[in-house]
Amino acid sequence: MKPAFDPVTLAIPFFILAIILEIVLTRLKVTRAHYETKDTMASLAMGLGSNVAGLLTAGVVVAATIWTYQHRLFDVPMTAIWAWIALFLLEDLTYYWFHRLSHERRFWWAAHVNHHSSQHYNLSTALRQTWTGGLAGTWILWLPLALLGFPPAMIAIQKGISLVYQFWIHTEAVGRTPRWFEAVFNTPSHHRVHHARNPRYLDRNYAGILIVWDKLFGTFQPELDEEACRYGIVKNLSGFNVLRVAFHEWIAMGQDVARHPRHALGYMFGPPGWSHDASRDTSATLRTQWEAGQGGEPEPQPEPHQAPQKAASA
């Protein structure tokens, strides 16, 4: 069921205009942003492909949501203000755990890693979305909202509002917002940390709209003036092939499972970087090495247009 009011569809012209404006202001040296033509085109291609992929799984998602709603525990009125406030909080909490799962377990990281694969951080990065999220099944996490009695259209609208909100936080053009806003909401400063590959910043700030979830569950990390964010993944990709961007981690995971079938579950559902012989680093081990002063910094990576020094993987 597609809602009559679709925030994402309505916001698409704004997204494009905002990206163009950020590029123009950067060229005029009015604001700060880093754009690379091929990188931006890859992000736009990923965004377009994500919409197409979403259509392929939409029938299953909608059918499952409607079926769940038909077995709802309560009747939540779509016209009640309290219902929208409750849904806002519950959907944002759901997003937090979806996002955290997508970083902490490799199977779902394989569907999410493409969003982090750009070595630049600008508004076009927000459009670098998954092609395989529907197949990975993370949409199941939102079914309890329908079970509680929130109408499917209402859930879809709130998810759209969350996605539209998260667009503007993908920028370096905005420094820090007022302290009261930084304390409650996800902001460009908080989300820059989330996209950074510095050991200090890895796997932090999973928030959608409210940063309070990270503070509540111990995953909050403020952006520090003394440590600039370095963007991308621990071992960055070279080139801009959108098929590689979309599927490289699925391929790498399949290769690991084929080579080590006895450890298949670990390679599929362990944290990204897990290996049966501990020969690879996870976010936790990189952070531990950094904290111990042993140099848990990722190796310097080539710029996207340069030849890689070694094979890249997530």
Side-chain angles (χ1 to χ4, degrees), residues 156-211:
I157 290 171
Q158 183 55 49
K159 289 179 70 175
I161 291 172
S162 178
L163 288 175
V164 171
Y165 178 89
Q166 291 177 60
F167 173 79
W168 80 279
I169 61 178
H170 289 82
T171 185
E172 291 185 298
V174 178
R176 287 181 176 81
T177 57
R179 290 182 63 181
W180 67 268
F181 196 84
E182 295 278 338
V184 178
F185 294 98
N186 199 8
T187 66
S189 177
H190 297 328
H191 206 58
R192 285 193 289 270
V193 167
H194 178 71
H195 273 258
R197 59 186 177 89
N198 316 43
R200 182 200 298 266
Y201 293 154
L202 285 175
D203 290 352
R204 291 293 184 261
N205 299 1
Y206 297 114
I209 297 177
L210 298 176
I211 198 65

Side-chain angles (χ1 to χ4, degrees), residues 259-288:
R259 283 193 293 259
H260 309 287
R262 292 179 57 188
H263 304 282
L265 290 178
Y267 280 107
M268 291 178 67
F269 299 108
W274 181 91
S275 57
H276 69 284
D277 56 1
S279 61
R280 305 177 189 176
D281 284 316
T282 64
S283 293
T285 59
L286 286 170
R287 185 175 293 107
T288 298

Side-chain angles (χ1 to χ4, degrees), residues 7-304:
V8 176
T9 299
L10 293 174
I12 288 176
F14 163 76
F15 292 165
I16 302 302
L17 289 174
I19 291 171
I20 294 173
L21 179 61
E22 187 175 52
I23 293 173
V24 170
L25 292 178
T26 299
R27 293 286 178 87
L28 296 175
K29 302 187 183 304
V30 174
T31 190
R32 174 188 175 186
H34 297 281
Y35 276 87
E36 186 174 357
T37 301
K38 290 183 178 180
D39 178 80
T40 301
M41 296 307 295
S43 293
L44 295 177
M46 289 301 299
L48 178 62
S50 178
N51 285 329
V52 174
L55 293 175
L56 299 178
T57 56
V60 174
V61 176
V62 170
T65 305
I66 291 175
W67 183 88
T68 304
Y69 181 68
Q70 290 173 343
H71 297 80
R72 61 191 177 275
L73 301 176
F74 309 101
D75 287 309
V76 178
M78 195 168 175
T79 55
I81 294 177
W82 68 263
W84 284 100
I85 295 173
L87 179 61
F88 167 74
L89 295 173
L90 291 172
E91 194 282 328
D92 203 52
L93 177 60
T94 300
Y95 181 88
Y96 169 87
W97 284 107
F98 144 75
H99 202 181
R100 185 167 176 174
L101 177 69
S102 295
H103 277 257
E104 295 185 350
R105 297 298 149 190
R106 190 183 188 186
F107 185 83
W108 293 286
W109 172 244
H112 182 65
V113 61
N114 62 267
H115 181 61
H116 288 263
S117 60
S118 175
Q119 296 177 51
H120 303 295
Y121 191 73
N122 53 55
L123 291 176
S124 74
T125 307
L127 305 184
R128 186 176 286 227
Q129 294 295 323
T130 181
W131 290 6
T132 55
L135 295 176
T138 48
W139 50 269
I140 294 173
L141 296 175
W142 277 266
L143 293 183
L145 298 179
L147 183 63
L148 286 174
F150 292 99
M154 192 175 178
I155 297 171
I157 290 171
Q158 183 55 49
K159 289 179 70 175
I161 291 172
S162 178
L163 288 175
V164 171
Y165 178 89
Q166 291 177 60
F167 173 79
W168 80 279
I169 61 178
H170 289 82
T171 185
E172 291 185 298
V174 178
R176 287 181 176 81
T177 57
R179 290 182 63 181
W180 67 268
F181 196 84
E182 295 278 338
V184 178
F185 294 98
N186 199 8
T187 66
S189 177
H190 297 328
H191 206 58
R192 285 193 289 270
V193 167
H194 178 71
H195 273 258
R197 59 186 177 89
N198 316 43
R200 182 200 298 266
Y201 293 154
L202 285 175
D203 290 352
R204 291 293 184 261
N205 299 1
Y206 297 114
I209 297 177
L210 298 176
I211 198 65
V212 294
W213 307 120
D214 286 285
K215 295 181 177 181
L216 180 62
F217 296 114
T219 53
F220 176 68
Q221 169 64 50
E223 182 181 26
L224 302 175
D225 292 333
E226 62 268 26
E227 183 163 359
C229 295
R230 298 190 304 279
Y231 304 111
I233 51 182
V234 170
K235 294 181 180 178
N236 282 317
L237 298 176
S238 60
F240 305 95
N241 187 313
V242 292
L243 295 178
R244 189 177 183 212
V245 172
F247 301 113
H248 75 275
E249 185 63 11
W250 290 109
I251 294 170
M253 183 171 63
Q255 292 172 338
D256 284 337
V257 169
R259 283 193 293 259
H260 309 287
R262 292 179 57 188
H263 304 282
L265 290 178
Y267 280 107
M268 291 178 67
F269 299 108
W274 181 91
S275 57
H276 69 284
D277 56 1
S279 61
R280 305 177 189 176
D281 284 316
T282 64
S283 293
T285 59
L286 286 170
R287 185 175 293 107
T288 298
Q289 292 168 14
W290 170 76
E291 290 174 348
Q294 298 176 8
E297 296 281 343
E299 292 184 13
Q301 296 297 314
E303 290 300 315

